[in-house]
Amino acid sequence: MPVATVRTPRGAWIDAALQALAEGGPDAVRIEALAVRLGVSKGGFYWHFADRQALLQEMLDAWEKAGTDDIIARVDSQPGDPRAKLRQLSRQIPSVAVELAIRDWSRRDREGAERVRRVDNRRMGYLRSLFGQFCAGENDVEARSMLAYSLAIGSYFIAAQHGDQTRSQVLRLAFDRLLSDTRD
């Protein structure tokens, strides 16, 4: 009876590569190191990918799908008004380490920069579509969308303490303020 060949799934290579990127940047995404991480030979890599560049492309695809397409689909599949959808969206944060690593990588890589721009435009467009359902004007929609996205991405760069409140509590207060009708 022939022995079945077990191959490491394509997704395992991509996940390992994204983890390596988060831990050490793009230079850490090396075929040999990924094979060691997965406990397999590097020959299995070439079953799925033509080369390292193909893997890098698929990493960006996976990041975009998980951090944008899948999140938007989950939020849209739930009932609720736009404010409820925005609250749910604020709880759908993708892997922060991967998000920040891809953004850092994109500062030195033209293709990565184009992908980040595309993802940011898509995410901002989605925010605009939700805020646009209850905000008075275009400027308010744009400002709230930018502030909400800045909270989601930029808050990880801020190391400030918040007195008796946790970062999570302050972020929730900030986001609730963006959803309110008043400006007190």
Side-chain angles (χ1 to χ4, degrees):
M1 187 187 308
V3 176
T5 303
V6 177
R7 290 189 181 93
T8 303
R10 174 186 216 94
W13 286 98
I14 295 167
D15 291 344
L18 286 168
Q19 187 63 39
L21 176 71
E23 292 169 2
D27 291 338
V29 181
R30 296 282 172 220
I31 298 165
E32 298 83 10
L34 295 175
V36 168
R37 181 184 290 250
L38 292 168
V40 298
S41 72
K42 70 179 187 176
F45 172 87
Y46 294 103
W47 182 261
H48 298 296
F49 307 96
D51 54 22
R52 181 176 179 269
Q53 189 58 41
L55 173 63
L56 295 174
Q57 180 66 40
E58 293 221 23
M59 290 166 56
L60 290 171
D61 292 345
W63 166 71
E64 182 173 4
K65 182 180 182 319
T68 305
D69 301 337
D70 293 351
I71 289 174
I72 290 172
R74 272 194 307 275
V75 170
D76 278 346
S77 73
Q78 298 298 313
D81 67 12
R83 283 183 175 93
K85 288 183 182 283
L86 283 160
R87 281 188 183 90
Q88 183 182 4
L89 184 63
S90 74
R91 294 185 294 269
Q92 301 285 324
I93 305 300
S95 167
V96 174
V98 170
E99 182 79 22
L100 297 180
I102 285 182
R103 289 176 178 284
D104 183 52
W105 173 27
S106 76
R107 295 179 359 192
R108 295 175 297 284
D109 181 83
R110 186 181 59 77
E111 188 174 336
E114 289 172 10
R115 182 68 66 101
V116 167
R117 186 175 305 105
R118 183 172 84 197
V119 165
D120 283 353
N121 283 333
R122 174 101 189 277
R123 290 173 178 175
M124 282 291 291
Y126 187 63
L127 287 167
R128 288 180 191 112
S129 74
L130 294 173
F131 279 113
Q133 294 178 52
F134 65 88
C135 290
E138 206 174 288
N139 287 339
D140 196 30
V141 168
E142 193 64 24
R144 289 183 194 223
S145 297
M146 182 63 162
L147 288 168
Y149 198 43
S150 295
L151 280 173
I153 302 294
S155 67
Y156 297 99
F157 293 102
I158 300 170
Q161 296 174 314
H162 304 287
D164 293 338
Q165 296 179 322
T166 66
R167 174 170 302 265
S168 179
Q169 289 170 322
V170 171
L171 287 172
R172 180 65 43 221
L173 285 170
F175 201 76
D176 286 347
R177 179 61 56 104
L178 288 174
L179 298 179
S180 71
D181 289 326
T182 61
R183 301 199 179 147
D184 49 305

